[in-house]
mmCIF file of all heavy atoms in Angstrom:
data_model
loop_
_atom_site.group_PDB
_atom_site.id
_atom_site.type_symbol
_atom_site.label_atom_id
_atom_site.label_comp_id
_atom_site.label_asym_id
_atom_site.label_seq_id
_atom_site.Cartn_x
_atom_site.Cartn_y
_atom_site.Cartn_z
ATOM 1 N N ASP A 1 1.152 9.145 -23.530
ATOM 2 C CA ASP A 1 1.358 8.943 -24.968
ATOM 3 C C ASP A 1 1.165 7.491 -25.382
ATOM 4 O O ASP A 1 1.335 7.133 -26.546
ATOM 5 C CB ASP A 1 2.749 9.418 -25.381
ATOM 6 C CG ASP A 1 3.868 8.689 -24.631
ATOM 7 O OD1 ASP A 1 3.561 7.835 -23.772
ATOM 8 O OD2 ASP A 1 5.054 8.981 -24.918
ATOM 9 N N GLY A 2 0.827 6.634 -24.415
ATOM 10 C CA GLY A 2 0.598 5.230 -24.720
ATOM 11 C C GLY A 2 1.862 4.399 -24.756
ATOM 12 O O GLY A 2 1.805 3.202 -25.031
ATOM 13 N N LYS A 3 2.999 5.018 -24.441
ATOM 14 C CA LYS A 3 4.276 4.299 -24.495
ATOM 15 C C LYS A 3 4.754 3.963 -23.083
ATOM 16 O O LYS A 3 4.499 4.708 -22.135
ATOM 17 C CB LYS A 3 5.323 5.142 -25.224
ATOM 18 C CG LYS A 3 4.983 5.387 -26.688
ATOM 19 C CD LYS A 3 6.085 6.195 -27.371
ATOM 20 C CE LYS A 3 5.752 6.427 -28.839
ATOM 21 N NZ LYS A 3 6.794 7.231 -29.517
ATOM 22 N N TRP A 4 5.462 2.844 -22.984
ATOM 23 C CA TRP A 4 6.039 2.415 -21.705
ATOM 24 C C TRP A 4 7.023 3.472 -21.213
ATOM 25 O O TRP A 4 7.884 3.930 -21.968
ATOM 26 C CB TRP A 4 6.748 1.079 -21.863
ATOM 27 C CG TRP A 4 7.161 0.429 -20.577
ATOM 28 C CD1 TRP A 4 8.312 0.653 -19.875
ATOM 29 C CD2 TRP A 4 6.434 -0.562 -19.837
ATOM 30 N NE1 TRP A 4 8.349 -0.127 -18.756
ATOM 31 C CE2 TRP A 4 7.213 -0.894 -18.707
ATOM 32 C CE3 TRP A 4 5.212 -1.198 -20.032
ATOM 33 C CZ2 TRP A 4 6.800 -1.845 -17.769
ATOM 34 C CZ3 TRP A 4 4.809 -2.145 -19.104
ATOM 35 C CH2 TRP A 4 5.578 -2.450 -17.993
ATOM 36 N N ILE A 5 6.893 3.870 -19.963
ATOM 37 C CA ILE A 5 7.815 4.851 -19.378
ATOM 38 C C ILE A 5 9.168 4.197 -19.188
ATOM 39 O O ILE A 5 9.272 3.151 -18.537
ATOM 40 C CB ILE A 5 7.268 5.372 -18.043
ATOM 41 C CG1 ILE A 5 5.898 6.038 -18.248
ATOM 42 C CG2 ILE A 5 8.249 6.349 -17.402
ATOM 43 C CD1 ILE A 5 5.158 6.338 -16.958
ATOM 44 N N ASP A 6 10.205 4.783 -19.752
ATOM 45 C CA ASP A 6 11.534 4.186 -19.720
ATOM 46 C C ASP A 6 11.970 3.875 -18.284
ATOM 47 O O ASP A 6 11.992 4.758 -17.428
ATOM 48 C CB ASP A 6 12.549 5.127 -20.373
ATOM 49 C CG ASP A 6 13.921 4.488 -20.518
ATOM 50 O OD1 ASP A 6 13.969 3.276 -20.841
ATOM 51 O OD2 ASP A 6 14.922 5.173 -20.302
ATOM 52 N N GLY A 7 12.306 2.620 -18.042
ATOM 53 C CA GLY A 7 12.780 2.211 -16.718
ATOM 54 C C GLY A 7 11.693 1.927 -15.711
ATOM 55 O O GLY A 7 11.976 1.516 -14.578
ATOM 56 N N SER A 8 10.433 2.140 -16.072
ATOM 57 C CA SER A 8 9.332 1.880 -15.138
ATOM 58 C C SER A 8 9.146 0.370 -14.972
ATOM 59 O O SER A 8 9.280 -0.392 -15.925
ATOM 60 C CB SER A 8 8.046 2.509 -15.649
ATOM 61 O OG SER A 8 6.992 2.319 -14.728
ATOM 62 N N ALA A 9 8.818 -0.049 -13.733
ATOM 63 C CA ALA A 9 8.644 -1.488 -13.477
ATOM 64 C C ALA A 9 7.723 -1.678 -12.273
ATOM 65 O O ALA A 9 8.145 -2.162 -11.222
ATOM 66 C CB ALA A 9 9.986 -2.165 -13.237
ATOM 67 N N ILE A 10 6.470 -1.291 -12.418
ATOM 68 C CA ILE A 10 5.493 -1.450 -11.340
ATOM 69 C C ILE A 10 4.799 -2.786 -11.518
ATOM 70 O O ILE A 10 3.941 -2.954 -12.388
ATOM 71 C CB ILE A 10 4.464 -0.303 -11.340
ATOM 72 C CG1 ILE A 10 5.152 1.060 -11.325
ATOM 73 C CG2 ILE A 10 3.521 -0.446 -10.147
ATOM 74 C CD1 ILE A 10 4.199 2.222 -11.550
ATOM 75 N N GLY A 11 5.195 -3.758 -10.700
ATOM 76 C CA GLY A 11 4.631 -5.083 -10.792
ATOM 77 C C GLY A 11 3.975 -5.491 -9.492
ATOM 78 O O GLY A 11 3.755 -4.660 -8.597
ATOM 79 N N SER A 12 3.676 -6.771 -9.366
ATOM 80 C CA SER A 12 3.052 -7.289 -8.144
ATOM 81 C C SER A 12 3.901 -8.373 -7.495
ATOM 82 O O SER A 12 3.434 -9.087 -6.613
ATOM 83 C CB SER A 12 1.666 -7.868 -8.479
ATOM 84 O OG SER A 12 1.784 -8.945 -9.392
ATOM 85 N N GLY A 13 5.148 -8.521 -7.933
ATOM 86 C CA GLY A 13 6.019 -9.576 -7.438
ATOM 87 C C GLY A 13 6.625 -9.276 -6.088
ATOM 88 O O GLY A 13 6.383 -8.218 -5.485
ATOM 89 N N PRO A 14 7.445 -10.185 -5.569
ATOM 90 C CA PRO A 14 8.001 -10.058 -4.219
ATOM 91 C C PRO A 14 9.070 -8.979 -4.074
ATOM 92 O O PRO A 14 9.421 -8.595 -2.966
ATOM 93 C CB PRO A 14 8.588 -11.439 -3.960
ATOM 94 C CG PRO A 14 8.923 -11.961 -5.316
ATOM 95 C CD PRO A 14 7.843 -11.440 -6.219
ATOM 96 N N PHE A 15 9.592 -8.486 -5.208
ATOM 97 C CA PHE A 15 10.599 -7.426 -5.156
ATOM 98 C C PHE A 15 10.193 -6.275 -6.079
ATOM 99 O O PHE A 15 9.565 -6.485 -7.107
ATOM 100 C CB PHE A 15 11.966 -7.965 -5.591
ATOM 101 C CG PHE A 15 12.561 -8.940 -4.616
ATOM 102 C CD1 PHE A 15 12.388 -10.304 -4.798
ATOM 103 C CD2 PHE A 15 13.273 -8.500 -3.525
ATOM 104 C CE1 PHE A 15 12.915 -11.218 -3.905
ATOM 105 C CE2 PHE A 15 13.810 -9.398 -2.615
ATOM 106 C CZ PHE A 15 13.627 -10.771 -2.800
ATOM 107 N N ARG A 16 10.557 -5.086 -5.667
ATOM 108 C CA ARG A 16 10.299 -3.894 -6.485
ATOM 109 C C ARG A 16 11.630 -3.319 -6.965
ATOM 110 O O ARG A 16 12.675 -3.483 -6.312
ATOM 111 C CB ARG A 16 9.536 -2.848 -5.676
ATOM 112 C CG ARG A 16 10.310 -2.251 -4.527
ATOM 113 C CD ARG A 16 9.623 -0.997 -3.996
ATOM 114 N NE ARG A 16 8.505 -1.314 -3.114
ATOM 115 C CZ ARG A 16 7.475 -0.497 -2.930
ATOM 116 N NH1 ARG A 16 7.417 0.649 -3.581
ATOM 117 N NH2 ARG A 16 6.526 -0.823 -2.074
ATOM 118 N N LEU A 17 11.579 -2.665 -8.114
ATOM 119 C CA LEU A 17 12.783 -2.055 -8.668
ATOM 120 C C LEU A 17 13.170 -0.833 -7.850
ATOM 121 O O LEU A 17 12.375 0.086 -7.665
ATOM 122 C CB LEU A 17 12.548 -1.650 -10.119
ATOM 123 C CG LEU A 17 13.728 -0.960 -10.822
ATOM 124 C CD1 LEU A 17 14.926 -1.893 -10.940
ATOM 125 C CD2 LEU A 17 13.307 -0.468 -12.213
ATOM 126 N N LYS A 18 14.403 -0.827 -7.362
ATOM 127 C CA LYS A 18 14.927 0.330 -6.641
ATOM 128 C C LYS A 18 15.754 1.211 -7.579
ATOM 129 O O LYS A 18 15.553 2.428 -7.649
ATOM 130 C CB LYS A 18 15.797 -0.113 -5.463
ATOM 131 C CG LYS A 18 16.421 1.044 -4.706
ATOM 132 C CD LYS A 18 17.344 0.566 -3.596
ATOM 133 C CE LYS A 18 17.975 1.739 -2.847
ATOM 134 N NZ LYS A 18 18.914 1.260 -1.783
ATOM 135 N N GLU A 19 16.661 0.580 -8.319
ATOM 136 C CA GLU A 19 17.567 1.367 -9.161
ATOM 137 C C GLU A 19 18.160 0.466 -10.251
ATOM 138 O O GLU A 19 18.504 -0.681 -10.007
ATOM 139 C CB GLU A 19 18.697 1.944 -8.310
ATOM 140 C CG GLU A 19 19.649 2.864 -9.045
ATOM 141 C CD GLU A 19 20.746 3.412 -8.142
ATOM 142 O OE1 GLU A 19 21.066 2.734 -7.127
ATOM 143 O OE2 GLU A 19 21.284 4.483 -8.443
ATOM 144 N N TRP A 20 18.239 1.017 -11.435
ATOM 145 C CA TRP A 20 18.918 0.345 -12.544
ATOM 146 C C TRP A 20 19.991 1.291 -13.067
ATOM 147 O O TRP A 20 19.689 2.295 -13.701
ATOM 148 C CB TRP A 20 17.918 -0.022 -13.632
ATOM 149 C CG TRP A 20 18.532 -0.606 -14.883
ATOM 150 C CD1 TRP A 20 19.782 -1.141 -15.037
ATOM 151 C CD2 TRP A 20 17.915 -0.695 -16.173
ATOM 152 N NE1 TRP A 20 19.984 -1.580 -16.314
ATOM 153 C CE2 TRP A 20 18.852 -1.320 -17.033
ATOM 154 C CE3 TRP A 20 16.658 -0.339 -16.672
ATOM 155 C CZ2 TRP A 20 18.566 -1.547 -18.391
ATOM 156 C CZ3 TRP A 20 16.378 -0.579 -18.004
ATOM 157 C CH2 TRP A 20 17.326 -1.187 -18.857
ATOM 158 N N VAL A 21 21.239 0.963 -12.783
ATOM 159 C CA VAL A 21 22.368 1.721 -13.328
ATOM 160 C C VAL A 21 22.888 0.911 -14.514
ATOM 161 O O VAL A 21 23.497 -0.149 -14.329
ATOM 162 C CB VAL A 21 23.471 1.925 -12.269
ATOM 163 C CG1 VAL A 21 24.649 2.685 -12.885
ATOM 164 C CG2 VAL A 21 22.922 2.687 -11.066
ATOM 165 N N LYS A 22 22.602 1.392 -15.689
ATOM 166 C CA LYS A 22 22.870 0.609 -16.893
ATOM 167 C C LYS A 22 24.333 0.214 -17.004
ATOM 168 O O LYS A 22 25.232 1.005 -16.738
ATOM 169 C CB LYS A 22 22.405 1.381 -18.119
ATOM 170 C CG LYS A 22 20.893 1.562 -18.154
ATOM 171 C CD LYS A 22 20.384 2.196 -19.429
ATOM 172 C CE LYS A 22 18.851 2.282 -19.398
ATOM 173 N NZ LYS A 22 18.286 2.859 -20.640
ATOM 174 N N ALA A 23 24.506 -1.051 -17.391
ATOM 175 C CA ALA A 23 25.814 -1.682 -17.565
ATOM 176 C C ALA A 23 26.538 -1.926 -16.245
ATOM 177 O O ALA A 23 27.672 -2.392 -16.250
ATOM 178 C CB ALA A 23 26.704 -0.872 -18.506
ATOM 179 N N GLN A 24 25.873 -1.628 -15.097
ATOM 180 C CA GLN A 24 26.520 -1.860 -13.808
ATOM 181 C C GLN A 24 25.712 -2.801 -12.918
ATOM 182 O O GLN A 24 26.206 -3.865 -12.533
ATOM 183 C CB GLN A 24 26.755 -0.534 -13.087
ATOM 184 C CG GLN A 24 27.728 0.398 -13.810
ATOM 185 C CD GLN A 24 28.023 1.644 -13.002
ATOM 186 O OE1 GLN A 24 28.248 1.583 -11.786
ATOM 187 N NE2 GLN A 24 28.006 2.786 -13.664
ATOM 188 N N TYR A 25 24.476 -2.430 -12.593
ATOM 189 C CA TYR A 25 23.698 -3.299 -11.709
ATOM 190 C C TYR A 25 22.216 -2.939 -11.762
ATOM 191 O O TYR A 25 21.824 -1.861 -12.217
ATOM 192 C CB TYR A 25 24.194 -3.202 -10.264
ATOM 193 C CG TYR A 25 24.041 -1.837 -9.617
ATOM 194 C CD1 TYR A 25 22.840 -1.446 -9.027
ATOM 195 C CD2 TYR A 25 25.099 -0.928 -9.603
ATOM 196 C CE1 TYR A 25 22.691 -0.195 -8.444
ATOM 197 C CE2 TYR A 25 24.971 0.329 -9.011
ATOM 198 C CZ TYR A 25 23.764 0.687 -8.445
ATOM 199 O OH TYR A 25 23.613 1.926 -7.868
ATOM 200 N N VAL A 26 21.409 -3.909 -11.281
ATOM 201 C CA VAL A 26 19.983 -3.688 -11.077
ATOM 202 C C VAL A 26 19.714 -4.005 -9.606
ATOM 203 O O VAL A 26 19.991 -5.121 -9.152
ATOM 204 C CB VAL A 26 19.110 -4.594 -11.968
ATOM 205 C CG1 VAL A 26 17.629 -4.301 -11.732
ATOM 206 C CG2 VAL A 26 19.469 -4.409 -13.437
ATOM 207 N N ALA A 27 19.215 -3.024 -8.854
ATOM 208 C CA ALA A 27 18.966 -3.191 -7.424
ATOM 209 C C ALA A 27 17.474 -3.306 -7.149
ATOM 210 O O ALA A 27 16.676 -2.504 -7.645
ATOM 211 C CB ALA A 27 19.556 -2.010 -6.646
ATOM 212 N N LEU A 28 17.109 -4.308 -6.357
ATOM 213 C CA LEU A 28 15.716 -4.547 -5.983
ATOM 214 C C LEU A 28 15.553 -4.493 -4.475
ATOM 215 O O LEU A 28 16.484 -4.830 -3.736
ATOM 216 C CB LEU A 28 15.246 -5.915 -6.485
ATOM 217 C CG LEU A 28 15.525 -6.314 -7.938
ATOM 218 C CD1 LEU A 28 14.992 -7.711 -8.195
ATOM 219 C CD2 LEU A 28 14.919 -5.317 -8.902
ATOM 220 N N ASP A 29 14.379 -4.096 -4.019
ATOM 221 C CA ASP A 29 14.030 -4.129 -2.603
ATOM 222 C C ASP A 29 12.854 -5.068 -2.399
ATOM 223 O O ASP A 29 11.969 -5.170 -3.264
ATOM 224 C CB ASP A 29 13.618 -2.725 -2.099
ATOM 225 C CG ASP A 29 14.809 -1.798 -1.945
ATOM 226 O OD1 ASP A 29 15.947 -2.278 -1.912
ATOM 227 O OD2 ASP A 29 14.575 -0.562 -1.883
ATOM 228 N N ARG A 30 12.827 -5.730 -1.237
ATOM 229 C CA ARG A 30 11.689 -6.603 -0.946
ATOM 230 C C ARG A 30 10.421 -5.767 -0.853
ATOM 231 O O ARG A 30 10.407 -4.686 -0.269
ATOM 232 C CB ARG A 30 11.919 -7.345 0.364
ATOM 233 C CG ARG A 30 10.816 -8.380 0.654
ATOM 234 C CD ARG A 30 11.055 -9.171 1.919
ATOM 235 N NE ARG A 30 10.928 -8.327 3.105
ATOM 236 C CZ ARG A 30 11.863 -8.200 4.036
ATOM 237 N NH1 ARG A 30 12.999 -8.872 3.919
ATOM 238 N NH2 ARG A 30 11.683 -7.411 5.069
ATOM 239 N N PHE A 31 9.328 -6.284 -1.449
ATOM 240 C CA PHE A 31 8.029 -5.607 -1.407
ATOM 241 C C PHE A 31 7.240 -6.188 -0.244
ATOM 242 O O PHE A 31 6.758 -7.307 -0.300
ATOM 243 C CB PHE A 31 7.302 -5.818 -2.728
ATOM 244 C CG PHE A 31 5.900 -5.274 -2.751
ATOM 245 C CD1 PHE A 31 5.608 -4.016 -2.233
ATOM 246 C CD2 PHE A 31 4.864 -6.025 -3.304
ATOM 247 C CE1 PHE A 31 4.305 -3.511 -2.248
ATOM 248 C CE2 PHE A 31 3.570 -5.540 -3.334
ATOM 249 C CZ PHE A 31 3.291 -4.277 -2.802
ATOM 250 N N ASP A 32 7.113 -5.406 0.820
ATOM 251 C CA ASP A 32 6.462 -5.906 2.031
ATOM 252 C C ASP A 32 4.946 -6.070 1.865
ATOM 253 O O ASP A 32 4.304 -6.694 2.707
ATOM 254 C CB ASP A 32 6.777 -4.991 3.212
ATOM 255 C CG ASP A 32 8.242 -5.092 3.652
ATOM 256 O OD1 ASP A 32 8.805 -6.184 3.495
ATOM 257 O OD2 ASP A 32 8.807 -4.092 4.110
ATOM 258 N N GLY A 33 4.390 -5.510 0.794
ATOM 259 C CA GLY A 33 2.960 -5.662 0.553
ATOM 260 C C GLY A 33 2.603 -6.943 -0.192
ATOM 261 O O GLY A 33 1.427 -7.189 -0.473
ATOM 262 N N TYR A 34 3.612 -7.768 -0.470
ATOM 263 C CA TYR A 34 3.368 -9.000 -1.216
ATOM 264 C C TYR A 34 2.711 -10.045 -0.320
ATOM 265 O O TYR A 34 3.190 -10.350 0.771
ATOM 266 C CB TYR A 34 4.681 -9.551 -1.763
ATOM 267 C CG TYR A 34 4.513 -10.800 -2.592
ATOM 268 C CD1 TYR A 34 4.082 -10.725 -3.906
ATOM 269 C CD2 TYR A 34 4.773 -12.057 -2.051
ATOM 270 C CE1 TYR A 34 3.908 -11.868 -4.671
ATOM 271 C CE2 TYR A 34 4.611 -13.205 -2.805
ATOM 272 C CZ TYR A 34 4.182 -13.106 -4.118
ATOM 273 O OH TYR A 34 4.013 -14.243 -4.863
ATOM 274 N N LYS A 35 1.613 -10.595 -0.783
ATOM 275 C CA LYS A 35 0.915 -11.647 -0.048
ATOM 276 C C LYS A 35 1.020 -12.947 -0.838
ATOM 277 O O LYS A 35 0.371 -13.107 -1.884
ATOM 278 C CB LYS A 35 -0.553 -11.280 0.175
ATOM 279 C CG LYS A 35 -0.729 -10.075 1.085
ATOM 280 C CD LYS A 35 -2.194 -9.776 1.357
ATOM 281 C CE LYS A 35 -2.345 -8.577 2.289
ATOM 282 N NZ LYS A 35 -3.773 -8.263 2.566
ATOM 283 N N PRO A 36 1.840 -13.896 -0.365
ATOM 284 C CA PRO A 36 2.097 -15.118 -1.131
ATOM 285 C C PRO A 36 0.901 -16.057 -1.186
ATOM 286 O O PRO A 36 0.009 -16.009 -0.333
ATOM 287 C CB PRO A 36 3.258 -15.764 -0.385
ATOM 288 C CG PRO A 36 3.114 -15.280 1.023
ATOM 289 C CD PRO A 36 2.602 -13.868 0.894
ATOM 290 N N ILE A 37 0.900 -16.880 -2.195
ATOM 291 C CA ILE A 37 -0.108 -17.903 -2.339
ATOM 292 C C ILE A 37 0.183 -19.041 -1.366
ATOM 293 O O ILE A 37 1.316 -19.176 -0.883
ATOM 294 C CB ILE A 37 -0.130 -18.403 -3.803
ATOM 295 C CG1 ILE A 37 -1.488 -18.957 -4.188
ATOM 296 C CG2 ILE A 37 0.989 -19.399 -4.067
ATOM 297 C CD1 ILE A 37 -1.672 -19.088 -5.680
ATOM 298 N N ALA A 38 -0.809 -19.869 -1.097
ATOM 299 C CA ALA A 38 -0.631 -20.924 -0.090
ATOM 300 C C ALA A 38 0.291 -22.038 -0.560
ATOM 301 O O ALA A 38 0.997 -22.652 0.244
ATOM 302 C CB ALA A 38 -1.993 -21.496 0.295
ATOM 303 N N GLU A 39 0.323 -22.332 -1.862
ATOM 304 C CA GLU A 39 1.138 -23.437 -2.367
ATOM 305 C C GLU A 39 2.619 -23.179 -2.119
ATOM 306 O O GLU A 39 3.121 -22.075 -2.318
ATOM 307 C CB GLU A 39 0.888 -23.654 -3.860
ATOM 308 C CG GLU A 39 1.694 -24.802 -4.446
ATOM 309 C CD GLU A 39 1.338 -25.115 -5.878
ATOM 310 O OE1 GLU A 39 0.133 -25.245 -6.191
ATOM 311 O OE2 GLU A 39 2.260 -25.245 -6.701
ATOM 312 N N LYS A 40 3.329 -24.216 -1.711
ATOM 313 C CA LYS A 40 4.758 -24.073 -1.433
ATOM 314 C C LYS A 40 5.512 -23.698 -2.707
ATOM 315 O O LYS A 40 5.086 -24.044 -3.828
ATOM 316 C CB LYS A 40 5.323 -25.359 -0.836
ATOM 317 C CG LYS A 40 5.310 -26.550 -1.787
ATOM 318 C CD LYS A 40 5.905 -27.773 -1.097
ATOM 319 C CE LYS A 40 5.932 -28.977 -2.055
ATOM 320 N NZ LYS A 40 6.514 -30.167 -1.413
ATOM 321 N N PRO A 41 6.632 -23.023 -2.591
ATOM 322 C CA PRO A 41 7.391 -22.601 -3.774
ATOM 323 C C PRO A 41 7.992 -23.798 -4.506
ATOM 324 O O PRO A 41 8.495 -24.736 -3.882
ATOM 325 C CB PRO A 41 8.482 -21.697 -3.200
ATOM 326 C CG PRO A 41 8.641 -22.121 -1.781
ATOM 327 C CD PRO A 41 7.274 -22.549 -1.339
ATOM 328 N N SER A 42 7.930 -23.757 -5.826
ATOM 329 C CA SER A 42 8.527 -24.789 -6.659
ATOM 330 C C SER A 42 8.753 -24.191 -8.029
ATOM 331 O O SER A 42 7.809 -23.795 -8.703
ATOM 332 C CB SER A 42 7.612 -26.007 -6.760
ATOM 333 O OG SER A 42 8.179 -27.005 -7.586
ATOM 334 N N GLY A 43 10.001 -24.096 -8.449
ATOM 335 C CA GLY A 43 10.299 -23.448 -9.716
ATOM 336 C C GLY A 43 9.833 -22.012 -9.703
ATOM 337 O O GLY A 43 10.124 -21.247 -8.783
ATOM 338 N N PHE A 44 9.062 -21.632 -10.709
ATOM 339 C CA PHE A 44 8.511 -20.271 -10.777
ATOM 340 C C PHE A 44 7.057 -20.248 -10.337
ATOM 341 O O PHE A 44 6.358 -19.264 -10.565
ATOM 342 C CB PHE A 44 8.647 -19.736 -12.209
ATOM 343 C CG PHE A 44 9.864 -18.865 -12.413
ATOM 344 C CD1 PHE A 44 10.989 -19.015 -11.631
ATOM 345 C CD2 PHE A 44 9.887 -17.900 -13.401
ATOM 346 C CE1 PHE A 44 12.118 -18.236 -11.823
ATOM 347 C CE2 PHE A 44 11.000 -17.083 -13.598
ATOM 348 C CZ PHE A 44 12.112 -17.267 -12.805
#
């Protein structure tokens, strides 16, 4: 329908969304398919 699927969060970052229990917590799991850039981490 062209609308964002409620609660969907498919990104390319180092963590993936596991569970969002509203008003309680947001749980993330490490994404093992993440391939970091060569530059050392600094800020974002």
Side-chain angles (χ1 to χ4, degrees):
D1 59 358
K3 296 181 179 179
W4 190 275
I5 300 169
D6 187 39
S8 183
I10 306 171
S12 61
F15 292 95
R16 67 166 80 206
L17 179 64
K18 178 184 180 182
E19 184 180 25
W20 174 18
V21 178
K22 294 186 178 182
Q24 295 185 44
Y25 64 84
V26 181
L28 312 179
D29 286 344
R30 185 178 68 235
F31 174 45
D32 290 329
Y34 182 79
K35 294 183 179 180
I37 206 164
E39 181 174 311
K40 66 179 181 180
S42 179
F44 263 26

